[in-house]
Amino acid sequence: MALDLAALCDPAHTALVTQECQEGVIGKSSSLPGLAEGVVRVGMVDNVARLARAARAAGVRVVHCTAERRADGLGANRNARLFQYMAKAKTPLLVGSDAVRLVPELGPEPGDLVLARIHGVSPFQGTELDFVLRNEGVTTIVGVGVSVNVAIPNFAFDAVNSSYQMVIPRDAVAGFPAEYVEMVFEHTLAAIATLTTTDELLAAWARRR
């Protein structure tokens, strides 16, 4: 039976959740040049912005999940190379700095919710995301952002383990190198999430309005 994307992503039970779409990660001040190049390659920011506008118009909840750290590092991870690298980055993700702000194309708009974390690589780990989504009756998550290398698979696993349907528009997430991203789509994410595109999802939401 063909997948009914419009029913799966019905605005009544769907949230668009952005992952680390912030200046110090994918913006002009990014400390991750390989990732920033991947974002540009697929036009990710424009596609996420299009999805966010359509989501708001359709009544889909929009939640932005960001990462940040205190200047003294209190509570932050130190147990992986990625955390050690970002702690020494030229543009650290310090609380209140420009680096932790969303890229301007995404807002936030007044009806959006921004959830920041100081721990881990998943927006679910130790945050209020799960509780917030359940409070709003969400059963389907449209996950966008970065990176396909680390956080997006973790996000997808956590969502599925928490009983959500996970939908990932392939051109609204990014990673590097391109060949590896395609392998993750084919061999990992396709097994646990519904893979789609920005245009397909926009059409699905337009049908439900």
Side-chain angles (χ1 to χ4, degrees):
M1 185 171 62
L3 172 70
D4 187 343
L5 187 63
L8 178 62
C9 298
D10 190 303
H13 60 242
T14 299
L16 175 71
V17 180
T18 76
Q19 163 68 6
E20 293 185 28
C21 292
Q22 54 199 95
E23 285 289 351
V25 178
I26 65 170
K28 295 179 181 178
S29 60
S30 174
S31 298
L32 299 163
L35 179 57
E37 290 169 8
V39 168
V40 172
R41 183 177 60 249
V42 299
M44 192 200 86
V45 172
D46 180 61
N47 288 330
V48 174
R50 292 167 63 207
L51 287 168
R53 289 193 295 270
R56 296 175 188 121
V60 173
R61 300 147 190 83
V62 179
V63 181
H64 304 283
C65 295
T66 61
E68 60 185 32
R69 60 181 284 119
R70 289 168 45 123
D72 60 6
L74 182 63
N77 290 78
R78 303 170 183 83
N79 57 335
R81 290 174 60 192
L82 175 62
F83 303 126
Q84 296 163 12
Y85 172 81
M86 290 304 293
K88 299 176 181 178
K90 63 179 180 179
T91 310
L93 305 178
L94 297 181
V95 176
S97 70
D98 289 341
V100 301
R101 294 178 182 169
L102 293 177
V103 292
E105 293 87 343
L106 304 188
E109 295 297 320
D112 297 356
L113 182 63
V114 180
L115 297 177
R117 72 179 194 280
I118 62 170
H119 167 80
V121 295
S122 168
F124 269 103
Q125 182 68 36
T127 75
E128 295 178 301
L129 179 61
D130 186 27
F131 307 105
V132 165
L133 296 181
R134 292 186 190 281
N135 286 346
E136 294 302 310
V138 172
T139 57
T140 296
I141 296 171
V142 176
V144 298
V146 294
S147 73
V148 175
N149 300 72
V150 178
I152 295 300
N154 198 333
F155 184 9
F157 290 137
D158 283 352
V160 171
N161 286 336
S162 298
S163 300
Y164 293 95
Q165 290 276 357
M166 187 70 173
V167 176
I168 301 176
R170 297 170 68 119
D171 53 356
V173 295
F176 65 100
E179 297 80 5
Y180 176 72
V181 171
E182 291 305 313
M183 292 179 69
V184 175
F185 282 143
E186 181 177 357
H187 299 293
T188 301
L189 293 176
I192 61 168
T194 297
L195 300 183
T196 184
T197 67
T198 295
D199 286 342
E200 289 171 345
L201 193 51
L202 292 177
W205 281 339
R207 291 198 298 274
R208 308 299 287 197
R209 291 175 64 182

